[in-house]
Amino acid sequence: MSKLRVAVLGAKGRIGSEAVRAVEAADDMELVAALGRGDQLETLTESGAQVVVELTTPASVMDNLDFCIRHGIHAVVGTTGWSDERLAQLNTWLSGSPETGVLIAPNFSIGAVLTMKFAEQAARYFESVEVVELHHPNKVDAPSGTATRTAQLIADARRKAGCAPQPDATATALDGARGADVDGVPVHAIRLRGLLAHQEVLLGGEGETLTIRHDSLHHSSFMPGILLGVRRVVTTPGLTFGLENFLDLN
Ligand SMILES: NC(=O)C1=CN([C@@H]2O[C@H](COP(=O)(O)OP(=O)(O)OC[C@H]3O[C@@H](n4cnc5c(N)ncnc54)[C@H](O)[C@@H]3O)[C@@H](O)[C@H]2O)C=CC1
Ligand SMILES: O=C(O)C1=N[C@H](C(=O)O)C[C@H](O)C1
């Protein structure tokens, strides 16, 4: 069987360099390009890349995906910064290239995907819920893509269940003291040397609390998800949001 021809964008970055090694080590894949900032995107077509793993920055990702989709190259995207407007733009581009697949995964680690799933399931049973994400201090965006997605899933679950707004008597607060409001869910971002990527979902009800915590201790935690994404995206046209769509979680 022929190997999947894979390119990595952001190949010198923290996660990109790990992804380069993971693709090189995968028996069913061939690394055909490893591009960094300033490299020509034409290398992707010249090298015959079938799938691009996009791990750059929120400022670069849209131009890169525009190029990939126009050239029918599938993409597995870990880069953060997704808004409804950006997703709508992607869907417009994809409608002009109906056989191309794009997976956007706010988090590639199985533990983080399960954290989101468990938080979504638990959300309607508790009066209060807040999200705390903790990352290395070199991270450029806050709150994290994972925390934003977690809060959105929680908010959707609570809306569907008809939950009342969360209790919060705060009358005066310093700016930021109650975190960012993501769809009615407070999200707090901590940046600390020594950390990599961590998240807690705190749920509170009458006389009890539930804490769901996940820790990514090394970038290797993201690699099985990236490789799964590469294998699945080539047969999944259109936009897929969330690695859970490629996992049998039920
Ligand atoms: N979905 C997930 O599971 C994960 C997502 N991430 C996300 O991946 C992104 C990258 O994270 P890090 O590796 O920590 O950042 P980083 O700053 O270490 O790496 C980004 C790399 O992309 C390069 N770059 C920027 N623009 C480029 C362009 N136009 N073409 C090619 N390369 C370009 C930069 O020079 C840099 O080497 C962030 O958005 C981060 O949040 C990070 C870890 C896991
Ligand atoms: O920048 C990071 O490091 C990470 N980014 C992603 C996010 O913003 O959720 C995934 C993970 O948390 C690591």
Side-chain angles (χ1 to χ4, degrees):
M1 217 173 66
S2 61
K3 294 188 177 195
L4 278 169
R5 299 175 65 79
V6 181
V8 176
L9 283 180
K12 294 198 172 121
R14 280 177 290 270
I15 183 169
S17 52
E18 188 78 22
V20 163
R21 286 190 287 277
V23 170
E24 281 175 331
D27 289 340
D28 56 342
M29 295 178 200
E30 181 185 356
L31 183 76
V32 296
L35 305 186
R37 193 191 290 276
D39 288 341
Q40 295 301 308
L41 290 175
E42 285 68 27
T43 307
L44 299 175
T45 43
E46 287 160 14
S47 64
Q50 295 168 277
V51 185
V52 156
V53 179
E54 218 289 351
L55 301 165
T56 64
T57 66
S60 301
V61 64
M62 290 306 276
D63 285 350
N64 289 340
L65 291 181
D66 181 21
F67 181 94
C68 290
I69 294 168
R70 272 191 289 114
H71 292 87
I73 302 172
H74 309 285
V76 170
V77 184
T79 305
T80 44
W82 293 100
S83 60
D84 288 346
E85 293 70 30
R86 283 185 163 210
L87 293 173
Q89 176 66 78
L90 265 194
N91 273 320
T92 303
W93 290 338
L94 281 166
S95 65
S97 182
E99 296 189 351
T100 308
V102 173
L103 165 69
I104 297 175
N107 202 304
F108 287 112
S109 88
I110 182 71
V113 172
L114 289 174
T115 300
M116 289 186 254
K117 203 77 194 161
F118 296 157
E120 184 182 19
Q121 285 173 342
R124 70 191 175 107
Y125 298 108
F126 293 84
E127 262 188 275
S128 304
V129 51
E130 308 216 359
V131 178
V132 185
E133 57 95 330
L134 310 90
H135 279 83
H136 58 90
N138 303 100
K139 185 165 176 59
V140 295
D141 56 316
S144 70
T146 308
T148 304
R149 180 69 178 152
T150 306
Q152 288 165 344
L153 291 170
I154 289 168
D156 272 355
R158 290 171 71 87
R159 239 187 322 267
K160 279 186 200 136
C163 294
Q166 302 203 46
D168 181 357
T170 308
T172 61
L174 274 184
D175 263 3
R178 293 290 293 116
D181 180 333
V182 179
D183 233 351
V185 178
V187 179
H188 311 267
I190 287 165
R191 297 292 173 264
L192 204 70
R193 185 66 70 204
L195 295 182
L196 178 55
H198 317 258
Q199 177 163 288
E200 282 191 4
V201 181
L202 303 152
L203 301 117
E206 200 57 52
E208 64 175 333
T209 65
L210 169 67
T211 303
I212 306 169
R213 179 172 173 115
H214 174 254
D215 299 275
S216 264
L217 305 171
H218 190 269
H219 279 99
S220 54
S221 61
F222 305 114
M223 297 306 125
I226 290 181
L227 297 181
L228 174 68
V230 169
R231 292 181 183 116
R232 293 291 302 274
V233 77
V234 291
T235 53
T236 314
L239 179 60
T240 303
F241 196 89
L243 188 70
E244 61 275 17
N245 293 289
F246 290 169
L247 296 165
D248 186 15
L249 290 182
N250 294 317

